[in-house]
Amino acid sequence: MDTLTRMRAFIDVVEAEGFSAAARKIGRSKALLSKYVRELEDELGALLLNRTTRQFSLTEAGHTYFRRATEIVREIDSLADDVRESSGDVRGRIKLSAPRTFADAPIGQALIDFAREHPEIVLEIQLDDRFVDLVEEGFDLAIRITRLESSSLIARRLSPFSVRLCASPDVIEKYGLPARPQDLANKPCVIDTNGRWLSNWPFVGEDGEMTTVSVTGRIEVNSPMAARAAAVSGLGWAVLPDFIAEPDIASGKLIPIFDDRIPRGGGIFAVYPHRRYLPAKVRVFVDFLVQWFRKNGAG
């Protein structure tokens, strides 16, 4: 049994957070994975995992080994990818982190279209609204909808991104249009607790300076899709991602205001760790996303 096979088994167990889960995921027996990890520990002369019937955790040596082993295996896989790419045969598994908002919105079709066009690549999508640690948690890349901050990650812009302040015609008829952002403090609002602004909505003042307005409403929900539904149903003003609001704005179900007072500068990015060699499968995936957004008028 070679070290690389044992190393892959160890990585599978750590990423799945247990032997049973890893066995189900990769189609090998729990006993075989346990044997591989035990042999790896014997080879290294160090305990990598603390395991009891109820608990599973990495030792300090295990943390160090997992981090370095993941890098080594990715380099080996990247080399294989490059050889396959030169022969027109890109395959493998891509582990992707993406926000639920992205997958649930129409732009999530990009992921489906990629899977259809590349049947030799397994796209493992984990939807999570938190910013995952790509290296520590073993992701190849992530989709992030944000203002790009300084980072140790490489980011490729897929599309611009902004938000729209909207309400239904019924709400506007009942409560009237706010003359200025500060008027929203006295009008019903839908608060998306999953957004970075919560109930303190920022606006660009007439003097160009940033100001915030504290809003309230009868519904608070941690989903922009649910916030959109609430706004369409007449529960108040809502700040929505543009790619979620646009269809209802086009149909007249939502009316936007203060577009010139909303802070700009956000984007939809594909981000991935700095590596000496970017795996061919990841490069193919990111190139596909860039072209998809450009083709669909979002890039």
Side-chain angles (χ1 to χ4, degrees):
M1 182 57 57
D2 64 283
T3 298
L4 182 59
T5 300
R6 299 186 183 109
M7 188 183 295
R8 288 186 185 276
F10 171 70
I11 292 171
D12 287 334
V13 169
V14 174
E15 291 185 340
E17 299 183 349
F19 288 90
S20 297
R24 289 192 297 269
K25 179 178 178 180
I26 66 175
R28 290 190 172 184
S29 71
K30 177 181 176 181
L32 183 60
L33 290 178
S34 180
K35 175 177 178 290
Y36 287 165
V37 173
R38 186 171 60 253
E39 289 176 346
L40 181 62
E41 291 176 324
D42 290 342
E43 179 182 330
L44 296 171
L47 184 67
L48 301 177
L49 297 175
N50 293 313
R51 45 197 185 274
T52 65
T53 55
R54 294 188 177 183
Q55 292 182 333
F56 170 94
S57 64
L58 285 166
T59 64
E60 183 175 351
H63 275 289
T64 301
Y65 190 84
F66 174 71
R67 188 178 302 108
R68 294 293 303 278
T70 300
E71 294 174 357
I72 291 170
V73 169
R74 281 177 173 167
E75 291 292 338
I76 292 172
D77 290 343
S78 177
L79 176 60
D81 285 343
D82 287 342
V83 173
R84 294 191 187 104
E85 185 182 29
S86 66
S87 63
D89 182 25
V90 179
R91 62 179 62 200
R93 175 182 292 269
I94 296 175
K95 187 176 180 182
L96 169 71
S97 171
R100 296 179 186 277
T101 303
F102 181 92
D104 291 343
I107 55 176
Q109 183 65 35
L111 305 181
I112 306 303
D113 290 347
F114 176 82
R116 291 176 60 187
E117 290 193 19
H118 295 273
E120 298 302 319
I121 295 179
V122 176
L123 192 57
E124 179 187 344
I125 307 168
Q126 293 194 18
L127 302 179
D128 200 324
D129 292 322
R130 68 185 176 90
F131 274 20
V132 301
D133 185 318
L134 299 185
V135 176
E136 188 72 23
E137 299 180 53
F139 287 95
D140 293 296
L141 76 163
I143 303 296
R144 290 186 176 167
I145 305 172
T146 183
R147 291 188 178 190
L148 191 61
E149 307 289 346
S150 58
S151 171
S152 61
L153 303 174
I154 301 172
R156 190 165 176 189
R157 186 184 178 103
L158 304 177
S159 171
F161 165 74
S162 61
V163 295
R164 310 292 296 275
L165 173 62
C166 310
S168 69
D170 290 345
V171 166
I172 294 174
E173 181 178 356
K174 183 175 181 180
Y175 296 99
L177 277 170
R180 54 184 190 144
Q182 287 78 4
D183 295 340
L184 291 166
N186 300 314
K187 297 185 183 296
C189 294
V190 177
I191 299 169
D192 178 9
T193 58
N194 199 47
R196 62 187 298 179
W197 296 340
L198 301 178
S199 59
N200 295 304
W201 293 355
F203 295 93
V204 179
E206 294 181 356
D207 57 0
E209 297 295 323
M210 294 294 299
T211 184
T212 60
V213 177
S214 181
V215 299
T216 59
R218 290 186 294 129
I219 183 169
E220 299 180 4
V221 62
N222 65 337
S223 162
M225 296 296 289
R228 169 215 153 265
V232 170
S233 298
L235 289 180
W237 294 89
V239 172
L240 303 171
D242 53 2
F243 55 82
I244 289 179
E246 289 296 346
D248 291 314
I249 291 174
S251 67
K253 293 180 181 179
L254 290 176
I255 309 296
I257 64 166
F258 297 143
D259 279 349
D260 60 337
R261 305 289 293 274
I262 302 292
R264 304 294 177 184
I268 302 175
F269 298 91
V271 299
Y272 42 91
H274 282 275
R275 296 198 187 113
R276 185 177 179 186
Y277 302 107
L278 179 67
K281 60 189 177 183
V282 175
R283 184 166 58 250
V284 167
F285 178 56
V286 174
D287 287 344
F288 177 91
L289 291 179
V290 170
Q291 293 301 318
W292 189 95
F293 275 88
R294 188 172 298 161
K295 178 180 178 182
N296 289 273

mmCIF file of all heavy atoms in Angstrom, residues 157-188:
data_model
loop_
_atom_site.group_PDB
_atom_site.id
_atom_site.type_symbol
_atom_site.label_atom_id
_atom_site.label_comp_id
_atom_site.label_asym_id
_atom_site.label_seq_id
_atom_site.Cartn_x
_atom_site.Cartn_y
_atom_site.Cartn_z
ATOM 1 N N ARG A 157 -13.291 38.465 -11.275
ATOM 2 C CA ARG A 157 -14.611 39.080 -11.297
ATOM 3 C C ARG A 157 -15.465 38.436 -12.386
ATOM 4 O O ARG A 157 -15.058 38.349 -13.544
ATOM 5 C CB ARG A 157 -14.477 40.586 -11.547
ATOM 6 C CG ARG A 157 -15.777 41.370 -11.447
ATOM 7 C CD ARG A 157 -15.483 42.823 -11.821
ATOM 8 N NE ARG A 157 -16.687 43.639 -11.798
ATOM 9 C CZ ARG A 157 -16.991 44.475 -10.823
ATOM 10 N NH1 ARG A 157 -16.212 44.588 -9.786
ATOM 11 N NH2 ARG A 157 -18.089 45.205 -10.875
ATOM 12 N N LEU A 158 -16.647 37.979 -11.995
ATOM 13 C CA LEU A 158 -17.585 37.387 -12.938
ATOM 14 C C LEU A 158 -18.620 38.397 -13.417
ATOM 15 O O LEU A 158 -19.050 38.377 -14.571
ATOM 16 C CB LEU A 158 -18.309 36.196 -12.289
ATOM 17 C CG LEU A 158 -17.421 35.086 -11.722
ATOM 18 C CD1 LEU A 158 -18.285 34.020 -11.059
ATOM 19 C CD2 LEU A 158 -16.548 34.471 -12.818
ATOM 20 N N SER A 159 -19.019 39.269 -12.495
ATOM 21 C CA SER A 159 -20.082 40.211 -12.825
ATOM 22 C C SER A 159 -20.096 41.340 -11.808
ATOM 23 O O SER A 159 -19.733 41.121 -10.647
ATOM 24 C CB SER A 159 -21.440 39.495 -12.807
ATOM 25 O OG SER A 159 -22.519 40.392 -12.927
ATOM 26 N N PRO A 160 -20.512 42.535 -12.218
ATOM 27 C CA PRO A 160 -20.764 43.578 -11.214
ATOM 28 C C PRO A 160 -21.962 43.191 -10.360
ATOM 29 O O PRO A 160 -22.772 42.344 -10.758
ATOM 30 C CB PRO A 160 -21.048 44.824 -12.053
ATOM 31 C CG PRO A 160 -21.508 44.304 -13.364
ATOM 32 C CD PRO A 160 -20.778 43.008 -13.580
ATOM 33 N N PHE A 161 -22.062 43.803 -9.210
ATOM 34 C CA PHE A 161 -23.175 43.498 -8.314
ATOM 35 C C PHE A 161 -23.572 44.757 -7.567
ATOM 36 O O PHE A 161 -22.728 45.532 -7.128
ATOM 37 C CB PHE A 161 -22.768 42.420 -7.304
ATOM 38 C CG PHE A 161 -23.704 42.302 -6.130
ATOM 39 C CD1 PHE A 161 -24.946 41.707 -6.277
ATOM 40 C CD2 PHE A 161 -23.352 42.814 -4.885
ATOM 41 C CE1 PHE A 161 -25.815 41.620 -5.195
ATOM 42 C CE2 PHE A 161 -24.212 42.725 -3.809
ATOM 43 C CZ PHE A 161 -25.445 42.125 -3.965
ATOM 44 N N SER A 162 -24.875 44.959 -7.447
ATOM 45 C CA SER A 162 -25.388 46.066 -6.642
ATOM 46 C C SER A 162 -26.713 45.624 -6.037
ATOM 47 O O SER A 162 -27.210 44.525 -6.317
ATOM 48 C CB SER A 162 -25.591 47.321 -7.496
ATOM 49 O OG SER A 162 -26.528 47.080 -8.533
ATOM 50 N N VAL A 163 -27.271 46.460 -5.201
ATOM 51 C CA VAL A 163 -28.579 46.171 -4.606
ATOM 52 C C VAL A 163 -29.576 47.227 -5.076
ATOM 53 O O VAL A 163 -29.197 48.317 -5.506
ATOM 54 C CB VAL A 163 -28.512 46.133 -3.062
ATOM 55 C CG1 VAL A 163 -27.639 44.987 -2.598
ATOM 56 C CG2 VAL A 163 -28.010 47.455 -2.501
ATOM 57 N N ARG A 164 -30.849 46.871 -4.990
ATOM 58 C CA ARG A 164 -31.919 47.794 -5.355
ATOM 59 C C ARG A 164 -32.863 47.953 -4.163
ATOM 60 O O ARG A 164 -33.203 46.977 -3.482
ATOM 61 C CB ARG A 164 -32.719 47.259 -6.558
ATOM 62 C CG ARG A 164 -31.897 46.816 -7.753
ATOM 63 C CD ARG A 164 -31.204 47.956 -8.456
ATOM 64 N NE ARG A 164 -32.104 48.932 -9.065
ATOM 65 C CZ ARG A 164 -32.632 48.788 -10.301
ATOM 66 N NH1 ARG A 164 -32.371 47.695 -11.015
ATOM 67 N NH2 ARG A 164 -33.408 49.734 -10.798
ATOM 68 N N LEU A 165 -33.277 49.188 -3.925
ATOM 69 C CA LEU A 165 -34.278 49.467 -2.903
ATOM 70 C C LEU A 165 -35.635 49.491 -3.590
ATOM 71 O O LEU A 165 -35.871 50.311 -4.475
ATOM 72 C CB LEU A 165 -33.999 50.816 -2.239
ATOM 73 C CG LEU A 165 -35.058 51.324 -1.257
ATOM 74 C CD1 LEU A 165 -35.215 50.377 -0.070
ATOM 75 C CD2 LEU A 165 -34.704 52.727 -0.767
ATOM 76 N N CYS A 166 -36.527 48.578 -3.200
ATOM 77 C CA CYS A 166 -37.775 48.381 -3.932
ATOM 78 C C CYS A 166 -38.973 48.250 -2.998
ATOM 79 O O CYS A 166 -38.840 47.897 -1.829
ATOM 80 C CB CYS A 166 -37.711 47.101 -4.772
ATOM 81 S SG CYS A 166 -36.260 46.913 -5.797
ATOM 82 N N ALA A 167 -40.148 48.506 -3.562
ATOM 83 C CA ALA A 167 -41.421 48.231 -2.884
ATOM 84 C C ALA A 167 -42.464 47.951 -3.952
ATOM 85 O O ALA A 167 -42.294 48.303 -5.133
ATOM 86 C CB ALA A 167 -41.846 49.411 -2.007
ATOM 87 N N SER A 168 -43.535 47.317 -3.543
ATOM 88 C CA SER A 168 -44.624 47.025 -4.481
ATOM 89 C C SER A 168 -45.446 48.287 -4.747
ATOM 90 O O SER A 168 -45.452 49.222 -3.937
ATOM 91 C CB SER A 168 -45.527 45.933 -3.899
ATOM 92 O OG SER A 168 -46.232 46.442 -2.775
ATOM 93 N N PRO A 169 -46.154 48.346 -5.869
ATOM 94 C CA PRO A 169 -47.038 49.493 -6.143
ATOM 95 C C PRO A 169 -48.057 49.726 -5.029
ATOM 96 O O PRO A 169 -48.399 50.878 -4.726
ATOM 97 C CB PRO A 169 -47.713 49.101 -7.461
ATOM 98 C CG PRO A 169 -46.721 48.193 -8.132
ATOM 99 C CD PRO A 169 -46.103 47.411 -7.016
ATOM 100 N N ASP A 170 -48.552 48.641 -4.400
ATOM 101 C CA ASP A 170 -49.524 48.782 -3.310
ATOM 102 C C ASP A 170 -48.931 49.531 -2.119
ATOM 103 O O ASP A 170 -49.592 50.380 -1.501
ATOM 104 C CB ASP A 170 -50.018 47.402 -2.859
ATOM 105 C CG ASP A 170 -50.909 46.737 -3.894
ATOM 106 O OD1 ASP A 170 -51.376 47.443 -4.810
ATOM 107 O OD2 ASP A 170 -51.113 45.517 -3.792
ATOM 108 N N VAL A 171 -47.683 49.216 -1.779
ATOM 109 C CA VAL A 171 -47.031 49.893 -0.662
ATOM 110 C C VAL A 171 -46.825 51.372 -0.973
ATOM 111 O O VAL A 171 -47.052 52.242 -0.121
ATOM 112 C CB VAL A 171 -45.675 49.210 -0.343
ATOM 113 C CG1 VAL A 171 -44.823 50.085 0.575
ATOM 114 C CG2 VAL A 171 -45.905 47.858 0.318
ATOM 115 N N ILE A 172 -46.425 51.652 -2.202
ATOM 116 C CA ILE A 172 -46.203 53.050 -2.590
ATOM 117 C C ILE A 172 -47.516 53.836 -2.562
ATOM 118 O O ILE A 172 -47.574 54.980 -2.099
ATOM 119 C CB ILE A 172 -45.557 53.114 -3.979
ATOM 120 C CG1 ILE A 172 -44.151 52.512 -3.913
ATOM 121 C CG2 ILE A 172 -45.501 54.551 -4.490
ATOM 122 C CD1 ILE A 172 -43.460 52.392 -5.246
ATOM 123 N N GLU A 173 -48.597 53.192 -3.039
ATOM 124 C CA GLU A 173 -49.903 53.861 -3.036
ATOM 125 C C GLU A 173 -50.385 54.119 -1.609
ATOM 126 O O GLU A 173 -50.962 55.178 -1.314
ATOM 127 C CB GLU A 173 -50.927 53.005 -3.780
ATOM 128 C CG GLU A 173 -52.310 53.636 -3.858
ATOM 129 C CD GLU A 173 -53.296 52.787 -4.632
ATOM 130 O OE1 GLU A 173 -52.899 51.745 -5.186
ATOM 131 O OE2 GLU A 173 -54.487 53.155 -4.676
ATOM 132 N N LYS A 174 -50.125 53.157 -0.711
ATOM 133 C CA LYS A 174 -50.623 53.271 0.655
ATOM 134 C C LYS A 174 -49.793 54.223 1.501
ATOM 135 O O LYS A 174 -50.341 55.017 2.289
ATOM 136 C CB LYS A 174 -50.660 51.884 1.297
ATOM 137 C CG LYS A 174 -51.240 51.887 2.709
ATOM 138 C CD LYS A 174 -51.351 50.453 3.245
ATOM 139 C CE LYS A 174 -51.952 50.432 4.644
ATOM 140 N NZ LYS A 174 -52.066 49.045 5.167
ATOM 141 N N TYR A 175 -48.463 54.165 1.364
ATOM 142 C CA TYR A 175 -47.579 54.923 2.258
ATOM 143 C C TYR A 175 -46.885 56.103 1.575
ATOM 144 O O TYR A 175 -46.285 56.932 2.248
ATOM 145 C CB TYR A 175 -46.513 54.001 2.857
ATOM 146 C CG TYR A 175 -47.099 52.913 3.740
ATOM 147 C CD1 TYR A 175 -47.290 51.630 3.253
ATOM 148 C CD2 TYR A 175 -47.454 53.185 5.051
ATOM 149 C CE1 TYR A 175 -47.823 50.623 4.049
ATOM 150 C CE2 TYR A 175 -47.981 52.177 5.868
ATOM 151 C CZ TYR A 175 -48.171 50.905 5.353
ATOM 152 O OH TYR A 175 -48.699 49.916 6.153
ATOM 153 N N GLY A 176 -46.956 56.143 0.243
ATOM 154 C CA GLY A 176 -46.313 57.224 -0.488
ATOM 155 C C GLY A 176 -44.827 56.975 -0.704
ATOM 156 O O GLY A 176 -44.194 56.204 0.016
ATOM 157 N N LEU A 177 -44.268 57.643 -1.721
ATOM 158 C CA LEU A 177 -42.846 57.533 -1.995
ATOM 159 C C LEU A 177 -42.045 58.339 -0.975
ATOM 160 O O LEU A 177 -42.394 59.483 -0.694
ATOM 161 C CB LEU A 177 -42.529 58.059 -3.398
ATOM 162 C CG LEU A 177 -42.734 57.107 -4.571
ATOM 163 C CD1 LEU A 177 -42.603 57.875 -5.879
ATOM 164 C CD2 LEU A 177 -41.735 55.963 -4.522
ATOM 165 N N PRO A 178 -40.986 57.776 -0.433
ATOM 166 C CA PRO A 178 -40.125 58.577 0.445
ATOM 167 C C PRO A 178 -39.397 59.633 -0.386
ATOM 168 O O PRO A 178 -38.891 59.341 -1.470
ATOM 169 C CB PRO A 178 -39.156 57.546 1.033
ATOM 170 C CG PRO A 178 -39.172 56.406 0.080
ATOM 171 C CD PRO A 178 -40.526 56.371 -0.528
ATOM 172 N N ALA A 179 -39.358 60.844 0.119
ATOM 173 C CA ALA A 179 -38.692 61.925 -0.603
ATOM 174 C C ALA A 179 -37.177 61.849 -0.454
ATOM 175 O O ALA A 179 -36.432 62.317 -1.314
ATOM 176 C CB ALA A 179 -39.200 63.273 -0.100
ATOM 177 N N ARG A 180 -36.714 61.248 0.611
ATOM 178 C CA ARG A 180 -35.287 61.107 0.878
ATOM 179 C C ARG A 180 -35.079 59.823 1.672
ATOM 180 O O ARG A 180 -36.031 59.306 2.294
ATOM 181 C CB ARG A 180 -34.766 62.308 1.658
ATOM 182 C CG ARG A 180 -35.554 62.572 2.920
ATOM 183 C CD ARG A 180 -35.124 63.808 3.658
ATOM 184 N NE ARG A 180 -35.771 63.857 4.971
ATOM 185 C CZ ARG A 180 -35.201 64.311 6.067
ATOM 186 N NH1 ARG A 180 -33.955 64.746 6.021
ATOM 187 N NH2 ARG A 180 -35.862 64.329 7.212
ATOM 188 N N PRO A 181 -33.894 59.253 1.658
ATOM 189 C CA PRO A 181 -33.660 57.991 2.370
ATOM 190 C C PRO A 181 -34.075 58.021 3.830
ATOM 191 O O PRO A 181 -34.597 57.018 4.351
ATOM 192 C CB PRO A 181 -32.148 57.780 2.216
ATOM 193 C CG PRO A 181 -31.801 58.472 0.945
ATOM 194 C CD PRO A 181 -32.694 59.674 0.901
ATOM 195 N N GLN A 182 -33.892 59.149 4.511
ATOM 196 C CA GLN A 182 -34.234 59.234 5.933
ATOM 197 C C GLN A 182 -35.716 58.970 6.188
ATOM 198 O O GLN A 182 -36.098 58.553 7.289
ATOM 199 C CB GLN A 182 -33.840 60.614 6.477
ATOM 200 C CG GLN A 182 -32.351 60.825 6.647
ATOM 201 C CD GLN A 182 -31.631 61.120 5.336
ATOM 202 O OE1 GLN A 182 -32.267 61.244 4.282
ATOM 203 N NE2 GLN A 182 -30.312 61.227 5.396
ATOM 204 N N ASP A 183 -36.574 59.187 5.184
ATOM 205 C CA ASP A 183 -38.004 58.955 5.352
ATOM 206 C C ASP A 183 -38.335 57.481 5.545
ATOM 207 O O ASP A 183 -39.428 57.142 6.030
ATOM 208 C CB ASP A 183 -38.776 59.490 4.138
ATOM 209 C CG ASP A 183 -38.682 61.004 4.006
ATOM 210 O OD1 ASP A 183 -38.370 61.660 5.020
ATOM 211 O OD2 ASP A 183 -38.905 61.517 2.896
ATOM 212 N N LEU A 184 -37.405 56.606 5.177
ATOM 213 C CA LEU A 184 -37.649 55.169 5.338
ATOM 214 C C LEU A 184 -37.757 54.775 6.804
ATOM 215 O O LEU A 184 -38.314 53.719 7.128
ATOM 216 C CB LEU A 184 -36.526 54.363 4.677
ATOM 217 C CG LEU A 184 -36.482 54.417 3.146
ATOM 218 C CD1 LEU A 184 -35.144 53.887 2.638
ATOM 219 C CD2 LEU A 184 -37.637 53.597 2.561
ATOM 220 N N ALA A 185 -37.226 55.595 7.691
ATOM 221 C CA ALA A 185 -37.302 55.300 9.127
ATOM 222 C C ALA A 185 -38.743 55.261 9.611
ATOM 223 O O ALA A 185 -39.040 54.621 10.634
ATOM 224 C CB ALA A 185 -36.501 56.332 9.917
ATOM 225 N N ASN A 186 -39.645 55.904 8.884
ATOM 226 C CA ASN A 186 -41.056 55.958 9.287
ATOM 227 C C ASN A 186 -41.954 55.148 8.364
ATOM 228 O O ASN A 186 -43.176 55.327 8.380
ATOM 229 C CB ASN A 186 -41.525 57.421 9.309
ATOM 230 C CG ASN A 186 -40.723 58.265 10.283
ATOM 231 O OD1 ASN A 186 -40.486 57.846 11.414
ATOM 232 N ND2 ASN A 186 -40.295 59.438 9.840
ATOM 233 N N LYS A 187 -41.364 54.277 7.565
ATOM 234 C CA LYS A 187 -42.144 53.451 6.643
ATOM 235 C C LYS A 187 -41.847 51.981 6.889
ATOM 236 O O LYS A 187 -40.771 51.630 7.389
ATOM 237 C CB LYS A 187 -41.841 53.839 5.189
ATOM 238 C CG LYS A 187 -42.245 55.275 4.849
ATOM 239 C CD LYS A 187 -42.034 55.583 3.388
ATOM 240 C CE LYS A 187 -42.376 57.055 3.086
ATOM 241 N NZ LYS A 187 -43.792 57.353 3.325
ATOM 242 N N PRO A 188 -42.778 51.084 6.560
ATOM 243 C CA PRO A 188 -42.549 49.648 6.794
ATOM 244 C C PRO A 188 -41.439 49.118 5.883
ATOM 245 O O PRO A 188 -41.417 49.412 4.691
ATOM 246 C CB PRO A 188 -43.907 49.018 6.466
ATOM 247 C CG PRO A 188 -44.539 49.971 5.495
ATOM 248 C CD PRO A 188 -44.098 51.337 5.931
#
